[in-house]
Amino acid sequence: MARIVRVARSSSFFGYGNRFYSTSAEASHASSPSPFLHGGGARRDVAKDRNVQWVFLGCPGVGKGTYASRLSTLLGVPHIATGDLVREELASSGPLSQKLSEIVNQGKLVSDEIIVDLLSKRLEAGEAKGESGFILDGFPRTMRQAEILGDVTDIDLVVNLKLPEEVLVDKCLGRRTCSQCGKGFNIAHINLKGENGKPGISMDPLLPPPHCMSKLITRADDTEEVVKARLRIYNETSQPLEEYYRSKGKLMEFDLPGGIPESWPRLLEALRLDDYEEKQSAVA
């Protein structure tokens, strides 16, 4: 556990905390909230140098990776997804591969120790390349991880993406990957009707091109039983984490109104990035 703290304290990757804008509770209430923000969500202006230090939270399958990756391209900062780090380790046949395989296939969350070790290696690699700023996806996931992160850097903003559980399950079960090119797709067609004053949600499938169609594979852990277990565990552990960042005035809760075409521009608006039309078009 000491390894990541030692690396982070000596690393230029985490050395910019005082340069970034912080989000206060007072500032968040001073702005007019988006209809897709709730719970006094924080809004912020982005530093001109784009060296943001953000965290993306949300249930498995909500789209953290999709939106974090797009913002990474828009702002020119690295997107570090602990889920990708785990999958890379699984594919590497390294010392943790077998242990990780058992954990993932059972729908359990990977331990803090393993995640911290994998993230530490990624930070070392980033430091060697001269990276600064980051968007973390999938870390922290527990209060212990949040405390470790808080010891080594100041987080600017925590974006908590929200979707109904029914939609999350369908999205996870619809995930597919091309075994040849590695690109991800989703064959689920979401059409959740609105009720009790809540708007409906519609998402078109993200279908592969014809040459990928016969090469689609499903993740071993994307079964209904495992997906629901992951969601249950996440919900049990995420409440203290959300409250931790909410109490610091850094939590922005964002209800996704639909798929990428509907959600992306509204997320940019909530983050006050909607005026970057040229860059937005480049990653759309």
Side-chain angles (χ1 to χ4, degrees):
M1 187 63 66
R3 184 166 176 252
I4 189 172
V5 175
R6 186 165 60 250
V7 170
R9 287 194 183 279
S10 64
S11 171
S12 61
F13 187 87
F14 275 125
Y16 297 86
N18 293 332
R19 292 172 49 199
F20 302 149
Y21 291 87
S22 63
T23 306
S24 67
E26 292 79 11
S28 70
H29 287 292
S31 303
S32 299
S34 161
F36 301 98
L37 301 178
H38 57 86
R43 284 172 57 107
R44 56 153 290 158
D45 290 311
V46 181
K48 292 181 179 180
D49 59 9
R50 305 292 187 272
N51 288 329
V52 299
Q53 296 187 163
W54 289 356
V55 167
F56 265 67
L57 299 180
C59 289
V62 76
K64 296 186 299 295
T66 297
Y67 295 104
S69 178
R70 282 173 166 250
L71 286 166
S72 168
T73 300
L74 187 70
L75 300 175
V77 297
H79 165 217
I80 302 177
T82 53
D84 290 343
L85 299 181
V86 169
R87 284 186 283 276
E88 289 169 8
E89 184 66 25
L90 281 168
S92 71
S93 300
L96 290 176
S97 180
Q98 184 175 352
K99 184 176 182 180
L100 279 173
S101 181
E102 294 174 358
I103 293 171
V104 170
N105 289 335
Q106 292 173 15
K108 297 179 180 179
L109 295 181
V110 180
S111 70
D112 291 346
E113 288 76 12
I114 293 176
I115 291 295
V116 164
D117 185 54
L118 294 175
L119 183 58
S120 175
K121 292 176 182 177
R122 173 60 181 85
L123 295 182
E124 288 177 342
E127 180 184 22
K129 294 187 293 184
E131 291 178 346
S132 63
F134 56 80
I135 298 177
L136 290 181
D137 165 11
F139 186 94
R141 187 168 277 171
T142 66
M143 276 302 303
R144 187 181 181 195
Q145 292 176 358
E147 290 165 356
I148 293 170
L149 188 61
D151 284 342
V152 297
T153 190
D154 292 323
I155 295 298
D156 293 329
L157 180 69
V158 178
V159 181
N160 191 24
L161 300 181
K162 300 277 192 175
L163 275 175
E165 182 171 328
E166 179 181 346
V167 175
L168 289 168
V169 172
D170 287 346
K171 281 191 66 184
C172 287
L173 296 182
R175 291 192 292 202
R176 300 291 187 273
T177 303
C178 177
S179 59
Q180 184 172 10
C181 70
K183 291 183 178 179
F185 306 98
N186 200 300
I187 64 172
H189 191 291
I190 309 295
N191 189 16
L192 182 66
K193 295 182 179 180
E195 57 182 19
N196 299 324
K198 295 184 178 180
I201 296 177
S202 179
M203 297 184 186
D204 293 329
L206 179 60
L207 298 176
H211 61 271
C212 291
M213 188 67 73
S214 63
K215 305 177 183 69
L216 296 183
I217 57 175
T218 305
R219 282 170 44 175
D221 56 328
D222 275 350
T223 65
E224 185 169 359
E225 181 180 359
V226 170
V227 167
K228 288 184 175 180
R230 284 206 306 263
L231 293 175
R232 184 179 65 254
I233 294 171
Y234 178 85
N235 287 328
E236 290 172 354
T237 59
S238 66
Q239 294 302 320
L241 190 61
E242 292 172 13
E243 186 54 41
Y244 172 76
Y245 285 118
R246 185 180 293 110
S247 69
K248 293 179 177 293
K250 296 185 177 183
L251 185 71
M252 185 187 88
E253 297 189 289
F254 185 82
D255 287 305
L256 293 165
I260 294 172
E262 299 83 16
S263 299
W264 176 239
R266 291 189 172 106
L267 179 59
L268 291 180
E269 179 185 359
L271 294 168
R272 295 183 177 175
L273 290 170
D274 47 315
D275 57 328
Y276 297 102
E277 294 182 2
E278 187 174 331
K279 284 189 175 182
Q280 177 185 350
S281 297
V283 299

